[in-house]
Amino acid sequence: MRYLIMGFAISAGTAAADCTPEQEPFMSCQIEGRNTVLSVCLTADLAVYSYGPKAGPPDLTLSEPLVSVAYTPWPGVGRSIWEDVTFINGEYRYTVFAGFDRMFGNETEADHPTPHFGGVTVRQGDVQVAELVCERATVNYGAFGGDPVYEAKIAAGQQWDAREQVWRATPQ
């Protein structure tokens, strides 16, 4: 069963990483301890990864069709609601993750002033070569559920196998 949960988008002043008006944000942020920004923006049929200096053109831009991009939806358990999208560039994989921490019981927004999180893990083959974490206060996390990604995969005849954690062709 698929649940739609909307996250709150927080504008972070990361102008170079912001999506264009034609794009929907998956997430964008400034990287902790660096003067760089990260974003993943979605069009009607593409997921676009961008990383680079806060002011100026990105150092790296990758794009992948929504129907084929590696996308992991939230599994439905845990305090954190999250999802990720992976881009491949040669022998490197860039897994961008984003989410937010839920509040429980008597917790208030004061208990979690910056509930959103995100970042990117970079792997060369099976070896992790970097993990860059977003400054939480700068995270702009768009429509939770990756709805454009999820819906594009469903429309392309795919279904998420939660047990195996893979997308499969929908049985005919």
Side-chain angles (χ1 to χ4, degrees), residues 24-151:
E24 182 176 342
F26 172 78
M27 76 83 72
S28 64
C29 70
Q30 181 171 336
I31 299 299
E32 267 185 8
R34 297 180 180 218
N35 197 25
T36 57
V37 290
L38 164 70
S39 71
V40 173
C41 301
L42 310 172
T43 68
D45 58 354
L46 287 177
V48 180
Y49 169 95
S50 180
Y51 175 82
K54 190 172 180 179
D59 293 333
L60 179 62
T61 302
L62 304 169
S63 64
E64 180 77 26
L66 294 179
V67 298
S68 62
V69 71
Y71 166 69
T72 305
W74 176 54
V77 296
R79 180 181 189 100
S80 295
I81 295 175
W82 60 271
E83 57 190 335
D84 65 44
V85 178
T86 300
F87 296 83
I88 298 173
N89 184 23
E91 59 188 61
Y92 291 91
R93 288 188 332 252
Y94 299 81
T95 301
V96 177
F97 56 92
F100 62 94
D101 295 327
R102 297 188 290 173
M103 292 184 280
F104 292 108
N106 294 329
E107 293 177 326
T108 67
E109 288 183 27
D111 297 318
H112 297 283
T114 54
H116 291 78
F117 60 86
V120 61
T121 302
V122 182
R123 293 187 168 280
Q124 182 180 18
D126 291 333
V127 177
Q128 180 175 314
V129 295
E131 181 169 84
L132 305 177
V133 177
C134 297
E135 289 181 12
R136 288 181 80 120
T138 69
V139 174
N140 176 354
Y141 180 42
F144 170 77
D147 294 316
V149 182
Y150 189 88
E151 295 304 324

